[in-house]
């Protein structure tokens, strides 16, 4: 095997969003003598989905609210598919983490006149509990965490892409990660005692999507190839309001945040009339899955505007008030030629978040010793549907927990292991395979993937469409495996990076479709037109488990959901009131 450049570190964090940076900071604080390194596909502080968070951070702080209430909203919103221990860790951990973000890391959130933290309404919740910094909450969090990371001497590999998780020679634990330096194209083997998988999800396999184009579900794909299972992959969240900015622009799909509907914004059909009251008594403040399905039904019925979408309107709330409350949103829409404060903005449902992901425990550990995971790479916290505002809480709560756990793991089992040579060779072979083939345009493959997933495995699903999606993905897999990339060099070779993106996206899409085919009911974000009935959670539910079987084939199993804290039909609120 060709000798590779090597780097050794005690802890390697993959990703620099909220999960990755809190993981790195907590690990360094828990064990200052350890070498902690962050590897990020882009630039630290400038990439990742947390920076794009507009709405806010759910946490029970105000009088009248409680962790129990937040928990019940999360479980009921998740269709009772959640891992309840993970959900409880989320809601209780958020109460501590929000104070930590302010008092330890320097974040500052909007205040009420009396100095208490302001909390706004978000859809699907029974209490106004969303903490925010205007509508630029993610920028505030990431800016402060990035500053703290730089100040603490945490090493970083910027513009380095992770392409494979490498087990030890005896398979007993993680041994390292294969990276590619985007600037030179050179591979780098990082040996480490512990890895935090925090690359984020990013369902960019859909025609309309919110994450930036560099998000490609790499973490989930690497986990599958490393033998780990993914749970609930059929649960892909579509945000109701992505801007329909027109063809040929990456701005299409960009979110108009949920706080607009929470504060009283209207969704209008092409006829200029509100329609949500026909679908749900909560109207525009129904959960994201209900609103997205309702919007899609209006679109399929032809009640669309000239752009082929629907409208959001805020003018009835007062243009001045809208400009003051949603400054970032108003400016973003203005950049695209739309007047959010006083007019209407064309919108379409847009793929936003993966509720499914790597099976993990409440301390961040996974089935592979030494590999930890947090944030959108993981499954189980949100169940079948994520409440808006629970995402950045998930990332920061579990990122910090994983950082603490990694420091403890290294203290107990800190010796570096030699990576499995065959796994390393296979990873190198896969990453460099496109250079051995004749160059081909990858745009048709991406375009076909976008349309296939949107039309056949999107908001509304059925057996026939999912079968077409499965067959289409198999054909795209073959097309991608036959496609090569050219270029004079490998440094910043965008065609190669696009090939690697599509490699991850096609594999993750196959996991989504296989899980969606298996779940013959409708629950949360997963809606089957041919199985519109939801199973009674009182009779038991199961979550899907996707893994790679023989010859790299998708294999699916079921695992019963355990109601460890509350059973369907019961409530922690009643139990808390009785105490």
């Amino acid at each position: 095997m060709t000798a590779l450049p090597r780097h050794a570190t005690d802890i390697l964090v993959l990703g620099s969003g909220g999960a990755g940076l809190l993981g790195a900071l907590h690990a360094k604080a828990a064990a200052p003598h350890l070498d902690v390194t962050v590897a990020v596909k882009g630039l630290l502080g400038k990439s990742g989905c947390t920076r794009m968070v507009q709405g806010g951070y759910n946490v029970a702080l105000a009088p009248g609210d409680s962790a129990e209430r937040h928990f019940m909203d999360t479980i009921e919103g998740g269709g009772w598919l959640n891992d309840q221990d993970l959900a409880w860790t989320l809601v209780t951990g958020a109460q501590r983490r929000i104070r930590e973000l302010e008092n330890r890391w320097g974040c500052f959130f909007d205040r009420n006149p009396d100095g208490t933290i302001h909390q706004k309404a978000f859809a699907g919740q029974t209490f106004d509990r969303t903490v925010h910094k205007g509508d630029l909450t993610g920028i505030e969090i990431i800016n402060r965490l990035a500053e703290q990371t730089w100040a603490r001497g945490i090493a970083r590999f910027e513009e380095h892409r992770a392409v494979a998780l490498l087990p030890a020679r005896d398979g007993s634990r993680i041994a390292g990660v294969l990276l590619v330096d985007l600037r030179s194209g050179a591979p780098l083997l990082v040996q480490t005692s512990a890895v935090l998988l925090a690359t984020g999800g990013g369902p960019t396999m859909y025609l309309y999507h919110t994450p930036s184009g560099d998000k490609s579900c790499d973490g989930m794909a690497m986990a599958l190839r490393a033998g780990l299972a993914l749970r609930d992959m059929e649960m892909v969240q579509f945000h109701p309001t992505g801007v329909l900015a027109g063809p040929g622009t990456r701005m299409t799909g960009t979110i108009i945040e949920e706080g607009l509907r929470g504060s009283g914004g209207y969704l209008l059909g092409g006829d200029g009339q509100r329609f949500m009251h026909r679908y749900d008594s909560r109207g525009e403040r129904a959960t994201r899955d209900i609103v997205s399905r309702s919007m899609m039904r209006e679109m399929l019925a032809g009640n669309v505007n000239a752009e082929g979408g629907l409208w959001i309107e805020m003018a009835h709330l007062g243009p001045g008030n809208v400009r003051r409350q949603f400054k970032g949103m108003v400016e973003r829409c203005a950049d695209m030629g739309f007047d959010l404060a006083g007019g209407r903005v064309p919108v379409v449902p847009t793929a936003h978040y993966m509720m499914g992901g790597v099976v993990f425990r409440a301390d961040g550990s996974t089935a592979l010793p030494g590999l930890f995971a947090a944030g959108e790479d993981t499954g189980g916290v949100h169940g079948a549907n994520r409440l808006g505002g629970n995402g950045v809480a998930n990332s920061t709560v579990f990122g910090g927990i994983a950082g603490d756990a990694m420091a403890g793991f290294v203290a107990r089992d800190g010796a570096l292991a030699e990576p499995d040579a065959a796994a390393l060779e296979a990873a190198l072979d896969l990453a460099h395979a496109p250079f051995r083939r004749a160059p081909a345009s990858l745009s048709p493959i991406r375009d076909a993937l976008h349309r296939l997933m949107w039309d056949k495995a999107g908001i509304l699903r059925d057996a026939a469409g999912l079968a077409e999606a499965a067959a289409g993905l198999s054909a795209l897999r073959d097309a991608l495996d036959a496609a090569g990339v050219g270029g004079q060099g490998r440094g910043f070779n965008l065609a190669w990076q696009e090939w690697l993106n599509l490699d991850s996206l096609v594999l993750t899409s196959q996991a989504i479709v296989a899980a969606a085919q298996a779940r013959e009911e409708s629950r949360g974000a997963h809606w089957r037109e041919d199985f519109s009935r939801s199973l009674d959670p009182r009779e038991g539910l199961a979550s899907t488990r996707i893994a790679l079987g023989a010859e790299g084939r998708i294999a699916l199993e079921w695992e019963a959901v355990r109601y460890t804290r509350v059973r369907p039909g019961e409530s922690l609120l009643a139990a808390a009131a009785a105490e």
Side-chain angles (χ1 to χ4, degrees), residues 71-96:
F71 175 85
M72 291 308 303
D73 286 349
T74 298
I75 294 298
E76 290 172 352
W80 291 89
L81 200 65
N82 319 60
D83 180 308
Q84 293 191 6
D85 291 338
L86 295 178
W88 183 251
T89 301
L90 170 72
V91 301
T92 55
Q95 294 173 312
R96 297 186 295 274

PDB file of all heavy atoms in Angstrom, residues 71-96:
ATOM      1  N   PHE A  71     -41.068  18.191  26.493  1.00  0.00           N
ATOM      2  CA  PHE A  71     -40.927  16.770  26.151  1.00  0.00           C
ATOM      3  C   PHE A  71     -42.187  16.245  25.468  1.00  0.00           C
ATOM      4  O   PHE A  71     -42.102  15.567  24.429  1.00  0.00           O
ATOM      5  CB  PHE A  71     -40.646  15.978  27.422  1.00  0.00           C
ATOM      6  CG  PHE A  71     -40.588  14.486  27.226  1.00  0.00           C
ATOM      7  CD1 PHE A  71     -39.421  13.866  26.817  1.00  0.00           C
ATOM      8  CD2 PHE A  71     -41.702  13.692  27.474  1.00  0.00           C
ATOM      9  CE1 PHE A  71     -39.360  12.491  26.650  1.00  0.00           C
ATOM     10  CE2 PHE A  71     -41.657  12.320  27.307  1.00  0.00           C
ATOM     11  CZ  PHE A  71     -40.478  11.711  26.894  1.00  0.00           C
ATOM     12  N   MET A  72     -43.356  16.533  26.018  1.00  0.00           N
ATOM     13  CA  MET A  72     -44.593  16.030  25.426  1.00  0.00           C
ATOM     14  C   MET A  72     -44.814  16.612  24.038  1.00  0.00           C
ATOM     15  O   MET A  72     -45.261  15.904  23.120  1.00  0.00           O
ATOM     16  CB  MET A  72     -45.785  16.337  26.338  1.00  0.00           C
ATOM     17  CG  MET A  72     -45.801  15.549  27.643  1.00  0.00           C
ATOM     18  SD  MET A  72     -45.628  13.743  27.448  1.00  0.00           S
ATOM     19  CE  MET A  72     -46.996  13.363  26.355  1.00  0.00           C
ATOM     20  N   ASP A  73     -44.499  17.889  23.834  1.00  0.00           N
ATOM     21  CA  ASP A  73     -44.611  18.473  22.495  1.00  0.00           C
ATOM     22  C   ASP A  73     -43.683  17.749  21.521  1.00  0.00           C
ATOM     23  O   ASP A  73     -44.052  17.485  20.365  1.00  0.00           O
ATOM     24  CB  ASP A  73     -44.246  19.957  22.529  1.00  0.00           C
ATOM     25  CG  ASP A  73     -45.326  20.823  23.165  1.00  0.00           C
ATOM     26  OD1 ASP A  73     -46.444  20.317  23.384  1.00  0.00           O
ATOM     27  OD2 ASP A  73     -45.050  22.006  23.434  1.00  0.00           O
ATOM     28  N   THR A  74     -42.480  17.433  21.984  1.00  0.00           N
ATOM     29  CA  THR A  74     -41.493  16.770  21.134  1.00  0.00           C
ATOM     30  C   THR A  74     -41.921  15.351  20.788  1.00  0.00           C
ATOM     31  O   THR A  74     -41.796  14.911  19.630  1.00  0.00           O
ATOM     32  CB  THR A  74     -40.122  16.758  21.848  1.00  0.00           C
ATOM     33  OG1 THR A  74     -39.697  18.112  22.057  1.00  0.00           O
ATOM     34  CG2 THR A  74     -39.081  16.016  21.044  1.00  0.00           C
ATOM     35  N   ILE A  75     -42.446  14.620  21.773  1.00  0.00           N
ATOM     36  CA  ILE A  75     -42.875  13.239  21.540  1.00  0.00           C
ATOM     37  C   ILE A  75     -44.126  13.194  20.663  1.00  0.00           C
ATOM     38  O   ILE A  75     -44.208  12.398  19.711  1.00  0.00           O
ATOM     39  CB  ILE A  75     -43.142  12.527  22.887  1.00  0.00           C
ATOM     40  CG1 ILE A  75     -41.843  12.376  23.674  1.00  0.00           C
ATOM     41  CG2 ILE A  75     -43.790  11.169  22.665  1.00  0.00           C
ATOM     42  CD1 ILE A  75     -40.795  11.529  22.993  1.00  0.00           C
ATOM     43  N   GLU A  76     -45.090  14.035  20.964  1.00  0.00           N
ATOM     44  CA  GLU A  76     -46.318  14.035  20.169  1.00  0.00           C
ATOM     45  C   GLU A  76     -46.046  14.555  18.761  1.00  0.00           C
ATOM     46  O   GLU A  76     -46.577  14.023  17.776  1.00  0.00           O
ATOM     47  CB  GLU A  76     -47.387  14.866  20.878  1.00  0.00           C
ATOM     48  CG  GLU A  76     -47.888  14.176  22.154  1.00  0.00           C
ATOM     49  CD  GLU A  76     -48.795  15.050  22.994  1.00  0.00           C
ATOM     50  OE1 GLU A  76     -48.928  16.257  22.682  1.00  0.00           O
ATOM     51  OE2 GLU A  76     -49.370  14.527  23.967  1.00  0.00           O
ATOM     52  N   GLY A  77     -45.198  15.574  18.643  1.00  0.00           N
ATOM     53  CA  GLY A  77     -44.817  16.052  17.319  1.00  0.00           C
ATOM     54  C   GLY A  77     -44.073  14.997  16.534  1.00  0.00           C
ATOM     55  O   GLY A  77     -44.182  14.916  15.308  1.00  0.00           O
ATOM     56  N   GLY A  78     -43.306  14.154  17.235  1.00  0.00           N
ATOM     57  CA  GLY A  78     -42.542  13.084  16.596  1.00  0.00           C
ATOM     58  C   GLY A  78     -43.321  11.817  16.354  1.00  0.00           C
ATOM     59  O   GLY A  78     -42.722  10.787  15.978  1.00  0.00           O
ATOM     60  N   GLY A  79     -44.639  11.861  16.566  1.00  0.00           N
ATOM     61  CA  GLY A  79     -45.470  10.695  16.284  1.00  0.00           C
ATOM     62  C   GLY A  79     -45.176   9.502  17.153  1.00  0.00           C
ATOM     63  O   GLY A  79     -45.438   8.363  16.769  1.00  0.00           O
ATOM     64  N   TRP A  80     -44.616   9.727  18.355  1.00  0.00           N
ATOM     65  CA  TRP A  80     -44.302   8.677  19.320  1.00  0.00           C
ATOM     66  C   TRP A  80     -43.224   7.714  18.818  1.00  0.00           C
ATOM     67  O   TRP A  80     -43.032   6.645  19.373  1.00  0.00           O
ATOM     68  CB  TRP A  80     -45.560   7.905  19.749  1.00  0.00           C
ATOM     69  CG  TRP A  80     -46.479   8.745  20.564  1.00  0.00           C
ATOM     70  CD1 TRP A  80     -47.481   9.549  20.105  1.00  0.00           C
ATOM     71  CD2 TRP A  80     -46.466   8.916  21.991  1.00  0.00           C
ATOM     72  NE1 TRP A  80     -48.092  10.209  21.148  1.00  0.00           N
ATOM     73  CE2 TRP A  80     -47.486   9.835  22.323  1.00  0.00           C
ATOM     74  CE3 TRP A  80     -45.682   8.376  23.013  1.00  0.00           C
ATOM     75  CZ2 TRP A  80     -47.752  10.217  23.628  1.00  0.00           C
ATOM     76  CZ3 TRP A  80     -45.944   8.758  24.323  1.00  0.00           C
ATOM     77  CH2 TRP A  80     -46.977   9.671  24.614  1.00  0.00           C
ATOM     78  N   LEU A  81     -42.497   8.128  17.781  1.00  0.00           N
ATOM     79  CA  LEU A  81     -41.427   7.292  17.257  1.00  0.00           C
ATOM     80  C   LEU A  81     -40.086   7.620  17.906  1.00  0.00           C
ATOM     81  O   LEU A  81     -39.112   6.896  17.723  1.00  0.00           O
ATOM     82  CB  LEU A  81     -41.320   7.476  15.733  1.00  0.00           C
ATOM     83  CG  LEU A  81     -40.612   6.381  14.949  1.00  0.00           C
ATOM     84  CD1 LEU A  81     -41.371   5.065  15.030  1.00  0.00           C
ATOM     85  CD2 LEU A  81     -40.442   6.803  13.489  1.00  0.00           C
ATOM     86  N   ASN A  82     -40.025   8.691  18.674  1.00  0.00           N
ATOM     87  CA  ASN A  82     -38.770   9.127  19.296  1.00  0.00           C
ATOM     88  C   ASN A  82     -38.216   8.086  20.256  1.00  0.00           C
ATOM     89  O   ASN A  82     -38.954   7.319  20.873  1.00  0.00           O
ATOM     90  CB  ASN A  82     -38.974  10.413  20.102  1.00  0.00           C
ATOM     91  CG  ASN A  82     -39.859  11.432  19.435  1.00  0.00           C
ATOM     92  OD1 ASN A  82     -41.024  11.173  19.147  1.00  0.00           O
ATOM     93  ND2 ASN A  82     -39.325  12.618  19.221  1.00  0.00           N
ATOM     94  N   ASP A  83     -36.903   8.093  20.425  1.00  0.00           N
ATOM     95  CA  ASP A  83     -36.272   7.453  21.568  1.00  0.00           C
ATOM     96  C   ASP A  83     -36.502   8.398  22.747  1.00  0.00           C
ATOM     97  O   ASP A  83     -35.969   9.507  22.785  1.00  0.00           O
ATOM     98  CB  ASP A  83     -34.769   7.271  21.299  1.00  0.00           C
ATOM     99  CG  ASP A  83     -34.036   6.610  22.452  1.00  0.00           C
ATOM    100  OD1 ASP A  83     -34.172   7.081  23.599  1.00  0.00           O
ATOM    101  OD2 ASP A  83     -33.275   5.663  22.214  1.00  0.00           O
ATOM    102  N   GLN A  84     -37.307   7.981  23.698  1.00  0.00           N
ATOM    103  CA  GLN A  84     -37.733   8.901  24.748  1.00  0.00           C
ATOM    104  C   GLN A  84     -36.592   9.340  25.664  1.00  0.00           C
ATOM    105  O   GLN A  84     -36.591  10.464  26.171  1.00  0.00           O
ATOM    106  CB  GLN A  84     -38.871   8.277  25.555  1.00  0.00           C
ATOM    107  CG  GLN A  84     -40.145   8.118  24.736  1.00  0.00           C
ATOM    108  CD  GLN A  84     -41.350   7.759  25.585  1.00  0.00           C
ATOM    109  OE1 GLN A  84     -41.287   7.721  26.822  1.00  0.00           O
ATOM    110  NE2 GLN A  84     -42.469   7.502  24.927  1.00  0.00           N
ATOM    111  N   ASP A  85     -35.615   8.482  25.860  1.00  0.00           N
ATOM    112  CA  ASP A  85     -34.481   8.890  26.685  1.00  0.00           C
ATOM    113  C   ASP A  85     -33.675   9.984  25.992  1.00  0.00           C
ATOM    114  O   ASP A  85     -33.184  10.921  26.632  1.00  0.00           O
ATOM    115  CB  ASP A  85     -33.592   7.687  27.000  1.00  0.00           C
ATOM    116  CG  ASP A  85     -34.275   6.705  27.943  1.00  0.00           C
ATOM    117  OD1 ASP A  85     -35.214   7.116  28.662  1.00  0.00           O
ATOM    118  OD2 ASP A  85     -33.884   5.523  27.959  1.00  0.00           O
ATOM    119  N   LEU A  86     -33.534   9.885  24.678  1.00  0.00           N
ATOM    120  CA  LEU A  86     -32.852  10.943  23.932  1.00  0.00           C
ATOM    121  C   LEU A  86     -33.655  12.235  23.973  1.00  0.00           C
ATOM    122  O   LEU A  86     -33.090  13.331  24.137  1.00  0.00           O
ATOM    123  CB  LEU A  86     -32.632  10.510  22.485  1.00  0.00           C
ATOM    124  CG  LEU A  86     -31.690   9.327  22.228  1.00  0.00           C
ATOM    125  CD1 LEU A  86     -31.633   9.009  20.744  1.00  0.00           C
ATOM    126  CD2 LEU A  86     -30.288   9.617  22.759  1.00  0.00           C
ATOM    127  N   ALA A  87     -34.969  12.135  23.817  1.00  0.00           N
ATOM    128  CA  ALA A  87     -35.804  13.335  23.840  1.00  0.00           C
ATOM    129  C   ALA A  87     -35.765  14.014  25.214  1.00  0.00           C
ATOM    130  O   ALA A  87     -35.738  15.254  25.308  1.00  0.00           O
ATOM    131  CB  ALA A  87     -37.241  12.983  23.463  1.00  0.00           C
ATOM    132  N   TRP A  88     -35.754  13.220  26.274  1.00  0.00           N
ATOM    133  CA  TRP A  88     -35.670  13.798  27.618  1.00  0.00           C
ATOM    134  C   TRP A  88     -34.313  14.469  27.829  1.00  0.00           C
ATOM    135  O   TRP A  88     -34.228  15.552  28.424  1.00  0.00           O
ATOM    136  CB  TRP A  88     -35.913  12.726  28.671  1.00  0.00           C
ATOM    137  CG  TRP A  88     -35.919  13.266  30.077  1.00  0.00           C
ATOM    138  CD1 TRP A  88     -34.962  13.071  31.042  1.00  0.00           C
ATOM    139  CD2 TRP A  88     -36.902  14.109  30.665  1.00  0.00           C
ATOM    140  NE1 TRP A  88     -35.305  13.738  32.192  1.00  0.00           N
ATOM    141  CE2 TRP A  88     -36.493  14.393  31.986  1.00  0.00           C
ATOM    142  CE3 TRP A  88     -38.099  14.659  30.204  1.00  0.00           C
ATOM    143  CZ2 TRP A  88     -37.239  15.196  32.849  1.00  0.00           C
ATOM    144  CZ3 TRP A  88     -38.840  15.462  31.057  1.00  0.00           C
ATOM    145  CH2 TRP A  88     -38.412  15.725  32.373  1.00  0.00           C
ATOM    146  N   THR A  89     -33.256  13.840  27.322  1.00  0.00           N
ATOM    147  CA  THR A  89     -31.932  14.464  27.400  1.00  0.00           C
ATOM    148  C   THR A  89     -31.928  15.789  26.661  1.00  0.00           C
ATOM    149  O   THR A  89     -31.320  16.774  27.114  1.00  0.00           O
ATOM    150  CB  THR A  89     -30.870  13.527  26.802  1.00  0.00           C
ATOM    151  OG1 THR A  89     -30.874  12.285  27.522  1.00  0.00           O
ATOM    152  CG2 THR A  89     -29.486  14.140  26.880  1.00  0.00           C
ATOM    153  N   LEU A  90     -32.611  15.849  25.533  1.00  0.00           N
ATOM    154  CA  LEU A  90     -32.699  17.092  24.767  1.00  0.00           C
ATOM    155  C   LEU A  90     -33.348  18.212  25.567  1.00  0.00           C
ATOM    156  O   LEU A  90     -32.794  19.313  25.704  1.00  0.00           O
ATOM    157  CB  LEU A  90     -33.495  16.852  23.475  1.00  0.00           C
ATOM    158  CG  LEU A  90     -33.875  18.118  22.689  1.00  0.00           C
ATOM    159  CD1 LEU A  90     -32.650  18.719  22.025  1.00  0.00           C
ATOM    160  CD2 LEU A  90     -34.961  17.817  21.666  1.00  0.00           C
ATOM    161  N   VAL A  91     -34.536  17.966  26.118  1.00  0.00           N
ATOM    162  CA  VAL A  91     -35.298  19.054  26.724  1.00  0.00           C
ATOM    163  C   VAL A  91     -34.697  19.507  28.052  1.00  0.00           C
ATOM    164  O   VAL A  91     -34.746  20.693  28.396  1.00  0.00           O
ATOM    165  CB  VAL A  91     -36.786  18.677  26.886  1.00  0.00           C
ATOM    166  CG1 VAL A  91     -37.392  18.336  25.529  1.00  0.00           C
ATOM    167  CG2 VAL A  91     -36.992  17.515  27.852  1.00  0.00           C
ATOM    168  N   THR A  92     -34.129  18.580  28.799  1.00  0.00           N
ATOM    169  CA  THR A  92     -33.483  18.977  30.052  1.00  0.00           C
ATOM    170  C   THR A  92     -32.105  19.572  29.798  1.00  0.00           C
ATOM    171  O   THR A  92     -31.697  20.533  30.449  1.00  0.00           O
ATOM    172  CB  THR A  92     -33.381  17.775  31.010  1.00  0.00           C
ATOM    173  OG1 THR A  92     -32.708  16.690  30.346  1.00  0.00           O
ATOM    174  CG2 THR A  92     -34.757  17.320  31.459  1.00  0.00           C
ATOM    175  N   GLY A  93     -31.395  19.006  28.830  1.00  0.00           N
ATOM    176  CA  GLY A  93     -30.080  19.542  28.507  1.00  0.00           C
ATOM    177  C   GLY A  93     -30.150  20.936  27.922  1.00  0.00           C
ATOM    178  O   GLY A  93     -29.242  21.753  28.141  1.00  0.00           O
ATOM    179  N   ALA A  94     -31.216  21.237  27.189  1.00  0.00           N
ATOM    180  CA  ALA A  94     -31.353  22.574  26.594  1.00  0.00           C
ATOM    181  C   ALA A  94     -31.432  23.649  27.666  1.00  0.00           C
ATOM    182  O   ALA A  94     -30.933  24.774  27.474  1.00  0.00           O
ATOM    183  CB  ALA A  94     -32.592  22.615  25.704  1.00  0.00           C
ATOM    184  N   GLN A  95     -32.050  23.326  28.803  1.00  0.00           N
ATOM    185  CA  GLN A  95     -32.164  24.317  29.879  1.00  0.00           C
ATOM    186  C   GLN A  95     -30.806  24.712  30.429  1.00  0.00           C
ATOM    187  O   GLN A  95     -30.589  25.865  30.800  1.00  0.00           O
ATOM    188  CB  GLN A  95     -33.057  23.763  30.993  1.00  0.00           C
ATOM    189  CG  GLN A  95     -34.506  23.567  30.571  1.00  0.00           C
ATOM    190  CD  GLN A  95     -35.325  22.870  31.641  1.00  0.00           C
ATOM    191  OE1 GLN A  95     -34.913  21.855  32.197  1.00  0.00           O
ATOM    192  NE2 GLN A  95     -36.491  23.426  31.951  1.00  0.00           N
ATOM    193  N   ARG A  96     -29.895  23.762  30.477  1.00  0.00           N
ATOM    194  CA  ARG A  96     -28.530  24.080  30.922  1.00  0.00           C
ATOM    195  C   ARG A  96     -27.706  24.696  29.800  1.00  0.00           C
ATOM    196  O   ARG A  96     -26.941  25.636  30.023  1.00  0.00           O
ATOM    197  CB  ARG A  96     -27.844  22.804  31.440  1.00  0.00           C
ATOM    198  CG  ARG A  96     -28.505  22.195  32.666  1.00  0.00           C
ATOM    199  CD  ARG A  96     -27.704  21.042  33.211  1.00  0.00           C
ATOM    200  NE  ARG A  96     -27.637  19.924  32.270  1.00  0.00           N
ATOM    201  CZ  ARG A  96     -28.569  18.964  32.191  1.00  0.00           C
ATOM    202  NH1 ARG A  96     -29.635  18.998  32.972  1.00  0.00           N
ATOM    203  NH2 ARG A  96     -28.431  17.972  31.332  1.00  0.00           N
TER     204      ARG A  96
END
